Every structure is written in C-alpha cells, then in structure tokens.
Amino acid sequence: MSGRDPDRRKALLDAADRVILREGPEASMAAIAAEAGITKPILYRHFGDKSGLYEALADRHVRTVIAQLRPGFAGAVSDRPPGFAEAASDLRGRARTTITVYLDLISANRNLYRFLFHRASAEDTRMRSHMTALVRSLGEELGGVLAAGRVVPEPVRAQVLGHAFVGMVQTTGDWWLEHPEVDRAEVVEGLVDVIVAAVSHRSGRASHAAGRS
C-alpha cells in the first residue's frame, strides 16, 4: 500500500510540522493536507486514521526528546563519587543538566508540544493513551536507573520517585511555558531542590543509621 511508503510518510509529517510550527496547536487537518498537496482523506489513509497521524507525530517528537534526556539519566549512575555528600552534589548537577535540556526543548518547540499534549491528547482518547504510555515509560526508565545506580536502593521507592520526578518536571514545564516571565534558571533550581531533597532524605537517614551500627 502506498500509504506505507516511509519516504511519503516522512514528507507528510514534515508538512504537519511546518503547519503546526506556523499556526500553533489549533492547526487544522485541512491545513496540513493542503500543505502536503493532498486531501484530508488521503492524509489519513497514509496513517490509518487521524489517531495514527497523531501517534506518528508523537513518536517522532516525544521519542526524540526522550532520546536526548537519556544521557543525563545514564550519567546519574556513571562515575559517581563514593561519599554521600559528593553523590548528592553529582545528582544535583545531573538533574540540573537534564531538566535544562528538557525545558530548552519544549521552549524551542512549544507549538508542537502544545499540539501533542493539549490539542491532540484532549480530542483523541487513543492519542491520550499513547502519550500517557510514552511518559510512563520514561518514569519507569528513570526509576530503573535510580535503582541500578543505588541512588535510591529500594526498587519500589525508585519507581515511585522516577514517576514522580518525570510528572513533576513535565507539569512544571507546562506551567512555565505559560509564564515566560519566570527565569528558566529559577524553575530548574526549584525542581532540582525537590529531587535532591527527596533522594537525600532517605539516603541521609540510611547513612546515619549505618554510622551508628
């Protein structure tokens, strides 16, 4: 089927990107089809239906964001100093770098971000489930990294914090896009403070208990 042609699909997604970047989250399917030089039914046919088009855009952009965040995740467990204070400092630096990358990405692509997380997710339940699954997978991955590096030794707590951190950063980033007057560095440091405090609270108690035993 011609609709499965990867080069054609890429060209259609490129057209969708141009329209969304130009017109924002209210970009219409008719405008995307016109940009591609086809009709709406033909546009949908290449992706199965409108949900398929939304999901293809999400995979293209959200997975790209996740791929750019992974180096910060990996760095959280590599070459970590042995001492508790040094480890906390390392965690702060890694969290700061990762959050900054995320905020820069959504700020530079705010129309695409709003289209995917607000417009498409609000009007299409399949798309909402798809986006939820992508965000959840990122929380699970971060939880696994926290446990594997013994940043948070307890696996269940590592998963709780992994999901909590991802949700917190996403929600705060969403708010920040609506408040451009707020300095990005202030947002980053506030998020980093919460992450370090959450990790250090249990780790500090465990370190203190081990020293008394």
Side-chain angles (χ1 to χ4, degrees):
M1 176 180 173
S2 61
R4 302 303 180 188
D5 176 10
D7 291 335
R8 184 58 175 150
R9 282 169 60 90
K10 180 182 181 302
L12 295 176
L13 292 174
D14 288 344
D17 283 351
R18 290 194 298 272
V19 174
I20 295 168
L21 288 170
R22 184 172 67 237
E23 300 184 11
E26 300 308 315
S28 70
M29 297 299 104
I32 292 173
E35 180 78 15
I38 57 177
T39 63
K40 274 202 302 184
I42 293 176
L43 174 66
Y44 295 156
R45 192 182 309 154
H46 281 273
F47 299 92
D49 54 18
K50 184 166 70 171
S51 294
L53 171 61
Y54 286 162
E55 289 175 14
L57 283 168
D59 286 342
R60 180 182 234 200
H61 295 291
V62 177
R63 291 187 190 281
T64 296
V65 170
I66 290 174
Q68 294 191 50
L69 296 179
R70 280 199 175 108
F73 284 11
V77 298
S78 63
D79 302 321
R80 292 178 63 241
F84 170 68
E86 292 85 354
S89 175
D90 185 61
L91 174 64
R92 176 175 289 276
R94 297 295 185 177
R96 181 183 294 116
T97 298
T98 304
I99 294 169
T100 298
V101 168
Y102 175 74
L103 294 182
D104 282 349
L105 286 169
I106 65 170
S107 178
N109 301 279
R110 66 181 63 208
N111 279 348
L112 280 166
Y113 176 87
R114 287 168 171 159
F115 181 89
L116 293 171
F117 278 92
H118 296 285
R119 157 79 184 282
S121 295
E123 73 178 38
D124 189 282
T125 55
R126 201 173 95 192
M127 174 63 173
R128 184 161 59 250
S129 296
H130 188 66
M131 294 296 286
T132 299
L134 289 173
V135 174
R136 182 178 298 147
S137 70
L138 186 61
E140 290 173 356
E141 184 173 343
L142 178 56
V145 167
L146 293 174
R150 300 195 62 77
V151 177
V152 180
E154 308 95 326
V156 172
R157 187 166 187 266
Q159 280 295 315
V160 170
L161 291 182
H163 287 283
F165 294 161
V166 168
M168 175 183 70
V169 172
Q170 181 197 346
T171 302
T172 305
D174 202 22
W175 170 83
W176 176 65
L177 288 180
E178 301 299 325
H179 295 274
E181 75 280 3
V182 179
D183 184 62
R184 185 197 64 184
E186 185 176 357
V187 176
V188 171
E189 291 307 311
L191 291 168
V192 170
D193 284 345
V194 174
I195 290 171
V196 172
V199 171
S200 300
H201 175 67
R202 179 66 63 88
S203 300
R205 291 197 323 184
S207 179
H208 181 66
R212 291 169 51 188
S213 62

